[in-house]
Amino acid sequence: MKILAIDDNHDNLLTLQALLKIFMPEASLITSASAQDGIRRALMEAPDTILLDIQMPGMDGYEATRRLKGNPSTQHIPIILVTAHRTDPSGKVRGLECGADAFLSKPIDEAELVAQIRAMVRIKRSEDALRLERDSLEALVQKRTSELLLMNQVLTENLARLAENEARYSRAVRGTTDGLWDWNMVTGECYFSPRWKELLGFADDELENHADTFYSRLHPDDAAVAQEALESHLSGKTSLDVELRLRNREGGYLRFRVRGQAEWDSLGAAVRLSGALSDVTERQLMEEQLRQSQKMEAVGQLAGGVAHDFNNILTVIAGYANMLKMDLPALGNEVRLAEQIATATERAAELTKGLLAFSRKQPMAPQKLDLGEIVQRVETFLARVIGEDIQLKTHLLPDSLPVWVDMGQIEQVLINLAANARDAMENGGIFTIATGLFEADGSLSAFCGPAGSYAVIIVSDNGKGMPAEISKRIFEPFFTTKEVGKGTGLGMAIVYGIVRQHRGYITVDSKPGDGTVFSIYLPLAADGAEMYQEPAVDQELELGTETILVAEDDPSVRNLVEMVLTKHGYQVILAENGQEVVERFTAHSSDIGLILMDIIMPRKNGIEAFAEIKKLQPEAKVLFTSGYTSDFIQSRGMEDGVELIMKPVQPAQLLRKVREVLER
Ligand code: ADP
Ligand code: MG
């Protein structure tokens, strides 16, 4: 125990020392002669108690007490004030006010001194212990607090990261068109995201989050598929990826791709299944359309190829039949036989034309014509097609509707439509043809062509109509619902081919029992070209004397052309391929008035051969023949303005064209 005694009287300090030596030998005494020095020593020595004299020069005991109690380092040291007079209550009050803990009065009673010191030290010790405990508690609290703060910071960071993840996730989910689902297989709880419900046409609160929501909307025919896919996935064999139909708000079925992933517990039991739902109806529709157009294209190529070769054969048959007709006496029996052959070949030519039309490789001779006029011209014929039980009505726009069309082909379209209408109205009805003007501006969703002005033909019947499954397939070649022998399934395919070749569009609108309406949109001819006028009478066939170089790889066509030309006075030089044409021309160039040449030939095509000839003789005249459409030929590098005659070539037409080019 350490005791600090502060007193200006040296004798007092000595007495105290002597007393303590006897009565408190365990105490060690530090002495100080002034208040200032005492305070300093108290700071340095940290005594267990201080004995402080009140009356001292300079700073007195009260002030020293105030200072010691005011300093955090010394405020816990008990102070015993030593007063000069035993009975001085005002001094005690003052001392207590300054913070003194106990009092002793002079002369000091040794028993009181010892008791006071012991009491003070006891108090200090227990206070110290308390303080220590409080301090360590405080330190602990502080430690805990900082630990908590740190933890809090980590948690806050985690929360921020979670929130960011959540936001990123929901942005991603919003970005996809998928609907999400989550099925707790233990509790049976089910979650369907708002998008999941939206895909079926419902708001979030309109469908229950329950497995039944899914199962009750599943197409009955797909239930087995769904079950099998689920079992196979849950047994770990496959991933869950299956296409299913679900019923939407309107009661229609949409096709969805359902993907998911299960979670299994440690015992291998499936506890959870979650995944996504995406609408594939649109994609499937587009795939179907693509397949459809590819099929049309493929069949078109086949048909076009066959028809092309067939055309050459027809050219020969028709040519010889016509020549026979010219040669035979007009009233004889044979001329009628020849006529029969000619008529039959005309029908056959119609068929090839149909095939070429469908394949869009039909030779097209577009003229600027009034659509209404075409309808009027074909009306009587259509009436024959539909028969007497069906009434034909026309509503034609009084204004002219100029279009660039091949008249024969548009007639073909109307005939095919009429034939189908007749078949759809077995017990009679009304067949209507109307014309109109249509400004495409994107507002009519059924119309998929570019903006612009169109002339429209609307062909309708009030027959039996057809469901959507059929109407979307009618343009397929060979699609027919008619019994074998009755339908070929080519009628609408040809219509489609012709309309598309005219850069037009066709739409169909039909319902079972409600009749059918076809709308055909043809681009309106905007240019100032004159409307085509049919020549009043056939001109007399003129004879010629010029030399014509004929190049054609098909021998029968070559021979026919040779015969026609020589019969009408021309000299003919023949060539079988492109190379030969160039050689023959080089040999006879000064004599040759015209080259009549097939475009598609072996060794060198007509275009290449003519290019070489032009180098030898820039003035050389050419007339090309071809079985292909002018579009197709142009894509093979033919210049505009070059004369072209389409196969099957009619002798009269050939002779007229030859004269026309020669006289230019
Ligand atoms: P086909 O007449 O030889 O069957 P099409 O290509 O002309 O071949 O027509 C295909 C199918 O389209 C028909 O079998 C029929 O089912 C349907 N169809 C075409 N036009 C009509 C119509 N006006 N009314 C009802 N069904 C039609
Ligand atoms: Mg038909």
Side-chain angles (χ1 to χ4, degrees):
M1 157 191 332
K2 237 188 227 175
I3 296 163
L4 171 63
I6 307 166
D7 201 326
D8 59 319
N9 186 321
H10 192 62
D11 291 344
N12 283 349
L13 289 173
L14 284 177
T15 317
L16 189 64
Q17 193 149 34
L19 277 174
L20 287 175
K21 215 170 205 153
I22 298 162
F23 297 103
M24 277 185 88
E26 75 274 23
S28 70
L29 184 70
I30 307 156
T31 56
S32 177
S34 73
Q36 281 93 345
D37 180 62
I39 291 170
R40 202 165 41 80
R41 300 216 57 171
L43 277 166
M44 271 161 45
E45 305 280 350
D48 292 302
T49 189
I50 298 170
L51 281 165
L52 181 57
D53 187 25
I54 293 175
Q55 254 102 48
M56 282 187 292
M59 193 191 300
D60 65 6
Y62 297 124
E63 181 56 27
T65 303
R66 196 175 293 116
R67 291 204 182 176
L68 282 164
K69 290 294 179 187
N71 188 330
S73 308
T74 51
Q75 65 182 352
H76 310 295
I77 307 171
I79 295 175
I80 303 170
L81 277 181
V82 184
T83 62
H85 309 285
R86 188 168 286 273
T87 51
D88 178 11
S90 63
K92 269 193 187 165
V93 171
R94 206 171 151 201
L96 285 169
E97 277 171 357
C98 293
D101 300 282
F103 298 89
L104 278 174
S105 32
K106 294 175 188 169
I108 291 172
D109 174 78
E110 58 268 14
E112 202 184 350
L113 171 74
V114 171
Q116 281 284 28
I117 289 175
R118 289 234 158 93
M120 283 305 117
V121 169
R122 213 169 39 243
I123 289 169
K124 177 170 185 288
R125 293 242 159 108
S126 65
E127 266 183 3
D128 279 355
L130 265 176
R131 210 172 42 245
L132 213 71
E133 201 167 327
R134 200 196 62 207
D135 283 356
S136 73
L137 262 175
E138 241 166 42
L140 197 70
V141 168
Q142 215 153 50
K143 190 166 155 246
R144 281 285 143 79
T145 309
S146 63
E147 274 172 11
L148 278 175
L149 276 174
L150 200 75
M151 223 139 85
N152 194 28
Q153 194 186 338
V154 172
L155 275 176
T156 316
E157 277 170 18
N158 280 349
L159 268 178
R161 217 170 303 132
L162 265 178
E164 197 183 315
N165 274 347
E166 160 89 43
R168 195 180 296 134
Y169 165 81
S170 54
R171 268 199 301 274
V173 168
R174 243 183 296 134
T176 80
T177 48
D178 289 1
L180 304 183
W181 53 273
D182 181 26
W183 180 21
N184 185 329
M185 299 177 82
V186 179
T187 64
E189 274 173 294
C190 225
Y191 166 77
F192 299 110
S193 73
R195 175 67 187 151
W196 192 100
K197 297 171 186 175
E198 193 192 324
L199 281 170
L200 292 176
F202 291 94
D204 193 20
D205 55 5
E206 285 182 313
L207 283 184
E208 260 187 281
N209 278 332
H210 194 279
D212 224 34
T213 299
F214 170 78
Y215 282 110
S216 66
R217 309 211 144 256
L218 184 61
H219 193 289
D221 294 351
D222 289 352
V225 181
Q227 191 56 30
E228 198 190 299
L230 184 63
E231 277 167 14
S232 158
H233 177 61
L234 292 183
S235 64
K237 274 187 255 166
T238 54
S239 57
L240 182 63
D241 189 344
V242 62
E243 277 190 18
L244 299 170
R245 283 165 292 175
L246 293 176
R247 189 161 37 83
N248 68 0
R249 188 187 198 111
E250 287 76 38
Y253 281 97
L254 296 178
R255 189 165 274 277
F256 292 99
R257 180 176 179 191
V258 182
R259 277 166 293 178
Q261 178 63 50
E263 278 170 37
W264 291 270
D265 65 10
S266 55
L267 298 171
V271 290
R272 202 178 193 103
L273 192 61
S274 11
L277 183 80
S278 39
D279 189 350
V280 293
T281 316
E282 188 100 329
R283 194 200 70 201
Q284 252 193 357
L285 225 73
M286 282 169 72
E287 278 175 3
E288 203 173 288
Q289 269 171 13
L290 184 67
R291 261 201 304 278
Q292 179 81 1
S293 68
Q294 280 171 341
K295 187 162 123 192
M296 295 268 244
E297 210 56 44
V299 182
Q301 247 164 32
L302 176 71
V306 171
H308 174 251
D309 289 347
F310 197 56
N311 247 351
N312 277 340
I313 302 166
L314 273 182
T315 306
V316 177
I317 302 172
Y320 284 120
N322 282 319
M323 283 173 67
L324 271 179
K325 261 167 63 186
M326 289 187 234
D327 281 358
L328 290 168
L331 296 167
N333 201 31
E334 291 93 335
V335 81
R336 276 204 301 283
L337 296 180
E339 262 163 13
Q340 297 271 350
I341 299 174
T343 320
T345 51
E346 257 165 46
R347 278 217 305 279
E350 279 306 309
L351 194 77
T352 27
K353 249 169 102 179
L355 283 175
L356 285 168
F358 162 60
S359 65
R360 287 186 242 165
K361 284 200 181 117
Q362 186 180 33
M364 200 163 114
Q367 290 160 339
K368 191 170 172 181
L369 295 167
D370 174 29
L371 196 61
E373 241 180 76
I374 302 178
V375 175
Q376 275 172 343
R377 278 180 52 130
V378 83
E379 237 184 286
T380 39
F381 189 69
L382 290 182
R384 274 220 308 276
V385 171
I386 56 178
E388 282 160 6
D389 293 342
I390 297 168
Q391 203 187 332
L392 173 67
K393 280 191 182 171
T394 51
H395 300 290
L396 303 181
L397 200 70
D399 314 331
S400 93
L401 285 168
V403 281
W404 277 101
V405 293
D406 182 311
M407 185 161 66
Q409 293 188 18
I410 299 303
E411 284 173 1
Q412 182 74 62
V413 165
L414 294 172
I415 290 165
N416 290 8
L417 292 175
N420 283 341
R422 175 201 59 211
D423 295 346
M425 298 186 284
E426 279 175 347
N427 303 317
I430 302 169
F431 178 62
T432 314
I433 304 178
T435 59
L437 189 66
F438 174 66
E439 289 295 336
D441 55 5
S443 57
L444 186 66
S445 63
F447 181 77
C448 57
S453 306
Y454 293 83
V456 196
I457 322 174
I458 298 159
V459 178
S460 51
D461 64 61
N462 58 357
K464 63 182 180 207
M466 58 195 138
E469 302 94 79
I470 289 187
S471 68
K472 73 180 178 197
R473 294 193 58 194
I474 57 172
F475 300 118
E476 276 178 33
F478 309 116
F479 174 81
T480 178
T481 56
K482 294 166 194 172
E483 56 194 81
V484 181
K486 268 211 162 170
T488 59
L490 264 180
M492 290 311 297
I494 289 171
V495 167
Y496 177 83
I498 292 175
V499 171
R500 292 296 298 131
Q501 198 176 18
H502 280 81
R503 300 195 203 320
Y505 298 88
I506 179 162
T507 62
V508 53
D509 185 11
S510 185
K511 263 197 216 106
D514 231 11
T516 304
V517 181
F518 289 101
S519 307
I520 296 169
Y521 303 82
L522 298 170
L524 205 64
D527 49 47
E530 288 281 300
M531 286 273 208
Y532 175 78
Q533 294 289 332
E534 259 204 279
V537 274
D538 262 359
Q539 299 129 307
E540 266 300 296
L541 293 179
E542 285 174 76
L543 298 181
T545 54
E546 293 88 344
T547 302
I548 298 176
L549 172 55
V550 175
E552 165 65 61
D553 58 314
D554 188 312
S556 30
V557 177
R558 196 166 59 231
N559 294 340
L560 168 73
V561 171
E562 184 190 15
M563 193 179 271
V564 171
L565 291 175
T566 43
K567 232 176 127 55
H568 289 83
Y570 295 98
Q571 307 291 313
V572 175
I573 299 171
L574 293 176
E576 292 179 17
N577 58 53
Q579 186 55 41
E580 237 177 63
V581 184
V582 181
E583 285 160 15
R584 297 273 191 283
F585 187 86
T586 319
H588 302 273
S589 66
S590 56
D591 303 333
I592 290 169
L594 173 74
I595 307 155
L596 180 67
M597 174 154 62
D598 194 9
I599 291 182
I600 317 295
M601 282 189 300
R603 297 199 49 201
K604 199 167 274 170
N605 72 36
I607 313 263
E608 291 163 347
F610 186 58
E612 282 187 31
I613 288 169
K614 269 199 122 164
K615 281 193 206 132
L616 299 168
Q617 172 60 268
E619 302 290 294
K621 287 178 174 173
V622 72
L623 175 56
F624 285 115
T625 59
S626 176
Y628 287 103
T629 120
S630 46
D631 280 358
F632 176 67
I633 289 157
Q634 256 156 25
S635 71
R636 293 210 167 195
M638 197 165 108
E639 308 159 40
D640 277 340
V642 168
E643 284 299 334
L644 178 72
I645 187 164
M646 283 298 178
K647 289 178 180 176
V649 178
Q650 301 292 319
Q653 188 198 6
L654 174 71
L655 289 169
R656 205 167 346 173
K657 199 82 188 179
V658 163
R659 273 280 24 107
E660 199 185 307
V661 178
L662 277 170
E663 274 161 27
R664 217 171 263 167

